[in-house]
Amino acid sequence: MPVVDVVNLDGKKVGEVELADAVFGAKVNAHLLHEASRWYLAGLRRGTHKVKEKSEVSGAGRKLWRQKGTGRARVGSIRSPLWRHGGTVHGPRPRDYSYALPKKQLLGALRSALSAKLADQKLTVVDAWQLESHKTQSLLASLEKLNFSRSALLVSHGENRNLELASRNLEGVKLSAPNALQPYEVLKHDRLVLSKDAVARLVRSLDPEKKPVVVPDVETIAAAPVKKEAAARKPAAKKPAKPRGKSAAKKGKE
């Protein structure tokens, strides 16, 4: 297992942590990284592009000149796609570019991205994101002590309001949760900074060799016995309905 130093926000070593080989030491699969990045970027597309067709552009609908006898080409509308300022045919329409990607491929791509960052020595593990203030300047000073150069992806588990407020105004810095980590974001940023809790969370969710949780057997509860007296009772026989007004009147006449 690869061993990585754990540092605090001042850049000083405070311990070590062992990373799982199945998550941070996996073989880098370039094809999976390409597919996961393509899927992620396709989902970000808004798909609001639209062109005006023949029925949507401005212009009268009358026929410009008669069909025959002028020596000119026949034309039916000024909004024809063959004319300037006419409609557009086969143009883009509003659509959704997102598609489904198998979960195993996405998890494999994330393992490859994390392993590539560790192999390039661009992965840093911090003890905790304990910021005293929500000011951007304090976070920037801490990142400079952690070899921050161009861009960084910060991964923190749990709610951290100071870190969220301090990082959202920094160019090239993005905050992400372990369960929302994307391979494209890992590759896009120059340095990956993880907290110890985030590392444990990623190992637990990405380890393909983890054992399934065994659910203990639950004893079935027998149904309550039915009382014999209630079962032995028979429903009372229904009395015949009494005749109504007309039938009773007829009997009286007879």
Side-chain angles (χ1 to χ4, degrees), residues 60-159:
R62 68 181 180 86
K63 188 173 178 64
L64 298 179
W65 51 78
R66 66 178 189 264
Q67 182 80 352
K68 295 179 179 294
T70 61
R72 304 178 68 179
R74 52 192 172 186
V75 63
S77 173
I78 198 174
R79 298 177 295 178
S80 171
L82 302 177
W83 283 48
R84 183 170 177 263
H85 298 306
T88 303
V89 294
H90 307 302
R93 289 170 166 266
R95 54 166 292 195
D96 183 14
Y97 282 92
S98 63
Y99 59 93
L101 185 72
K103 187 176 180 181
K104 288 186 177 181
Q105 290 189 14
L106 183 60
L107 297 181
L110 189 53
R111 295 188 198 100
S112 295
L114 295 174
S115 302
K117 283 296 179 184
L118 181 62
D120 296 340
Q121 298 182 356
K122 293 184 178 181
L123 186 146
T124 305
V125 180
V126 297
D127 187 21
W129 291 108
Q130 296 177 353
L131 298 177
E132 298 179 357
S133 173
H134 64 280
K135 298 293 184 180
T136 302
Q137 200 66 28
S138 60
L139 177 61
L140 184 59
S142 300
L143 290 179
E144 289 177 352
K145 297 176 183 178
L146 299 175
N147 300 326
F148 170 73
S149 56
R150 294 178 297 172
S151 61
L153 178 61
L154 315 180
V155 184
S156 174
H157 175 58
E159 186 178 357

